[in-house]
Amino acid sequence: MLAARVPAGLGTIERMRDLRTLPKAELHIHIEGSVRPATLREWADRDGGTLPRGLTAQDAWRFDGFLDFIENYSEVCHLLRRPEDFRRMGEEFCADLAATGVRHAEAVFSPANHAARLDGDWTGPLEALLDGLRAGRQATGVTVLVCPDIVRDFGPDEAERTLQVAIAFVDRGVVALNAAGSERAPVAPFGPLFARAKAAGLRSVPHAGEWAGPENIWETLEHYAPDRIGHGVAAAKDPRLVEHLERIGIPLEVSPMSNVATGVFASLADHPLPALREAGVTVTLNSDDPTMFSAWLTDVFEAARTAWGWDDATLADLAREGVRASFAEETQKAEMLAGVDAWLAAPPQGDGEAGGVATGEVSIVTDST
């Protein structure tokens, strides 16, 4: 359970709406980092695989910094061995998104993490995943578009292969090219790949400014012509960059629970998301790797409500920003935005009272001093 203090002066808590029913778009989520722990255990038992070290008997993840998280993430990927695993991952992903009120998602998927392990098969895993996502949409109504990622640490050859795969599936469920991996890798050498991706009809949604400093974001803006930036929280260290992001209106896919879990920030109280938002930067709330961080998008919204004392109108605004920044069809955006308005217009459920209110998994402690 997450406990946080509401800012001084609030005194009492308004009646609050159920955030599970708030229509949401998830813009920064890694599909491999969203597999159910029970499914991972089943696959490990089936094939004699090794469970990620961070997954304990209680299905709780523990990470010793970012590199430890990446190692655990790689161990998750290694448990995906068969086409039916990727299909199942897609179906279960849609069901779990639906349960947290997400109606549209744009998910990062790593072809390079699987091709070397699966006899050089670059397209089979993605085809099976897209098949599962189609089945999941039929069952739940949730739409998921895929953003294959260049893993910069793997070098230019595998980045080229990832680009080719992404282009091959344009208009077949793939919407954008991502870039992940270490932010210590040079940015500029991958710029031509993003130019080709955009020429082929893909969007650009790279990671930047998660662990590296503001210069990583500046270089990404220059070389990748991003439509959105994954994370981008390091911008808070550079007032000139904050002003630039506000002026050009590029959305940041911010994942505060992820940033705390991997040690980017010590706590939500230290996180710059509220400051970035107050400065006029377009920010969206996201979960990143919800299974591994034990926080799906409703949990992230609950944490924002708790840590920063945001009311339902503010949370509705954040949901709208996510919808507007998405690549969903315009009719679907309009339907989701109308759903957000309806959620906010509906009466709250449950009375708040000074001294503490529990909502879902989040405990709020008021402070009237």
Side-chain angles (χ1 to χ4, degrees):
M1 178 177 290
L2 174 71
R5 297 190 73 80
V6 174
L10 289 185
T12 60
I13 299 297
E14 67 167 338
R15 292 189 299 158
M16 294 173 288
R17 294 162 181 83
D18 186 349
L19 288 168
R20 292 171 298 180
T21 62
L22 173 63
K24 296 179 285 293
E26 169 83 80
L27 306 182
H28 192 98
I29 183 169
H30 293 256
I31 194 164
E32 293 96 334
S34 308
V35 181
R36 297 171 180 174
T39 300
L40 295 177
R41 292 182 184 283
E42 182 180 327
W43 289 341
D45 291 342
R46 179 195 66 191
D47 296 324
T50 302
L51 280 171
R53 291 171 292 103
L55 183 61
T56 70
Q58 291 76 36
D59 287 348
W61 298 82
R62 297 290 183 269
F63 304 109
D64 184 17
F66 184 73
L67 292 179
D68 182 51
F69 163 72
I70 291 297
E71 290 178 6
N72 277 270
Y73 184 87
S74 298
E75 290 168 358
V76 169
C77 291
H78 289 165
L79 293 174
L80 288 146
R81 304 276 180 91
R82 309 179 188 186
E84 57 264 32
D85 297 344
F86 292 90
R87 187 184 192 283
R88 177 178 174 181
M89 179 171 67
E91 287 193 75
E92 292 184 349
F93 185 61
C94 288
D96 292 338
L97 289 171
T100 194
V102 173
R103 299 187 182 179
H104 174 81
E106 290 159 16
V108 183
F109 177 70
S110 300
N113 270 324
H114 307 293
R117 188 179 70 261
L118 301 176
D119 299 321
D121 187 355
W122 281 84
T123 60
L126 179 56
E127 288 176 331
L129 170 62
L130 292 172
D131 187 35
L133 293 174
R134 283 190 291 270
R137 178 176 183 174
Q138 291 177 352
T140 66
V142 174
T143 58
V144 178
L145 300 174
V146 178
C147 309
D149 68 335
I150 289 170
V151 183
R152 289 168 290 214
D153 312 71
F154 293 171
D157 291 341
E158 295 204 6
E160 173 67 31
R161 292 297 302 273
T162 299
L163 172 63
Q164 293 174 5
V165 169
I167 291 175
F169 286 87
V170 172
D171 297 327
R172 297 168 58 190
V174 169
V175 71
L177 184 68
N178 200 299
S182 173
E183 292 180 354
R184 292 172 295 185
V187 171
F190 300 98
L193 278 71
F194 277 87
R196 289 164 53 199
K198 299 201 83 168
L202 292 166
R203 307 297 186 95
S204 170
V205 291
H207 289 63
E210 180 183 11
W211 282 85
E215 67 281 355
N216 183 251
I217 301 173
W218 283 116
E219 292 177 8
T220 298
L221 290 168
E222 177 183 358
H223 295 288
Y224 295 172
D227 297 282
R228 298 193 307 255
I229 290 177
H231 295 288
V233 289
K237 301 177 182 178
D238 183 345
R240 187 169 66 92
L241 178 55
V242 171
E243 292 176 3
H244 181 67
L245 293 173
E246 185 275 332
R247 184 169 61 253
I248 64 177
I250 188 167
L252 302 184
E253 306 161 355
V254 183
S255 303
M257 301 288 277
S258 163
N259 297 152
V260 172
T262 60
V264 178
F265 301 102
S267 69
L268 291 180
D270 299 319
H271 201 283
L273 190 153
L276 288 168
R277 186 172 184 272
E278 289 173 9
V281 177
T282 300
V283 295
T284 65
L285 280 177
N286 303 276
S287 64
D288 202 1
D289 296 274
T291 297
M292 301 181 75
F293 301 136
S294 301
W296 287 78
L297 193 51
T298 289
D299 303 308
V300 177
F301 271 76
E302 292 277 10
R305 171 189 269 170
T306 304
W308 301 313
W310 284 346
D311 60 16
D312 286 353
T314 301
L315 296 170
D317 280 342
L318 282 160
R320 292 188 190 99
E321 293 289 3
V323 173
R324 294 187 186 110
S326 77
F327 306 135
E329 296 180 356
E330 292 303 318
T331 54
Q332 185 180 10
K333 286 186 179 183
E335 291 173 359
M336 292 182 66
L337 290 172
V340 174
D341 291 343
W343 178 84
L344 191 59
Q349 298 177 350
D351 290 320
E353 57 186 50
V357 177
T359 58
E361 295 299 316
V362 181
S363 175
I364 299 177
V365 181
T366 63
D367 187 349
S368 58
T369 60

